[in-house]
Amino acid sequence: MAYGTYRGLSAPEWAGPLAKALVLLLVGYGLYQNRHLKSLYLVLLGLALNALVIFANGGHMPVSVQALERAGVEGWEEILKERKDAVHTLLDDSTRLPFLGDTIALPPLRKAVSPGDLFILLGLMGVVVEGALGPLGPRPSPFRLGLALSLLLLAALWALGLV
């Protein structure tokens, strides 16, 4: 839908909100089916923060041009100004809840992300750790716990571009 909007095949006024609603519906169903994984509650919190800022801004995620520049991404300012992107909009003085938008630059990934995105990332890393530890029951061995926490730390450092 985003590509179709960029090419002028669909209007961002309806394509963006429709795409987001479908994603939230499908992801919500997946979260419900896996509610026994406690780390998914961080994913749910991240989704809630993203949904809050998106719905507060007319169905679009506000993006900071400064964050994009710090991340090494160029050429998006005009696209965002002209609202050719079905998903994002330019963060400006009229933006509601701007601190929840894509304002965090991740230069190694050449992306700007939101606080909600970081909660989603942490939750997904937690799911990996939960999977490594196995089903709830007897306490895992210290070696297995240490290995899982080391993997989580390594994944976090990689995501932040420090490794």
Side-chain angles (χ1 to χ4, degrees):
M1 287 186 144
Y3 182 74
T5 302
Y6 175 72
R7 289 293 183 190
L9 301 174
S10 57
E13 290 79 26
W14 63 266
L18 177 62
K20 287 177 208 73
L22 289 173
V23 167
L24 285 174
L25 183 68
L26 292 172
V27 171
Y29 177 75
L31 289 172
Y32 176 76
Q33 291 297 322
N34 293 289
R35 61 191 176 276
H36 61 281
L37 297 171
K38 301 304 179 205
S39 297
L40 283 180
Y41 290 101
L42 284 174
V43 174
L44 183 62
L45 174 62
L47 285 173
L49 291 174
N50 283 350
L52 182 65
V53 69
I54 286 169
F55 290 124
N57 289 287
H60 294 82
M61 173 62 86
V63 181
S64 165
V65 172
Q66 293 82 10
L68 288 174
E69 289 171 356
R70 286 193 311 269
V73 179
E74 297 176 11
W76 278 92
E77 186 171 1
E78 287 304 313
I79 292 170
L80 294 173
K81 278 183 183 176
E82 296 172 14
R83 298 189 64 101
K84 288 186 177 180
D85 186 328
V87 179
H88 301 94
T89 189
L90 190 62
L91 191 145
D92 58 20
D93 292 336
S94 66
T95 300
R96 295 184 182 114
L97 305 172
F99 58 93
L100 292 178
D102 286 344
T103 57
I104 302 166
L106 294 180
L109 300 177
R110 298 194 69 230
K111 291 188 78 72
V113 298
S114 68
D117 294 338
L118 295 180
F119 278 109
I120 292 169
L121 177 64
L122 286 172
L124 292 176
M125 288 189 302
V127 168
V128 170
V129 170
E130 283 186 76
L133 295 176
L136 296 177
R139 295 185 61 91
S141 71
F143 172 76
R144 200 166 171 195
L145 182 60
L147 179 63
L149 292 176
S150 297
L151 287 173
L152 179 62
L153 178 61
L154 185 61
L157 292 173
W158 177 82
L160 296 173
L162 300 174
V163 174

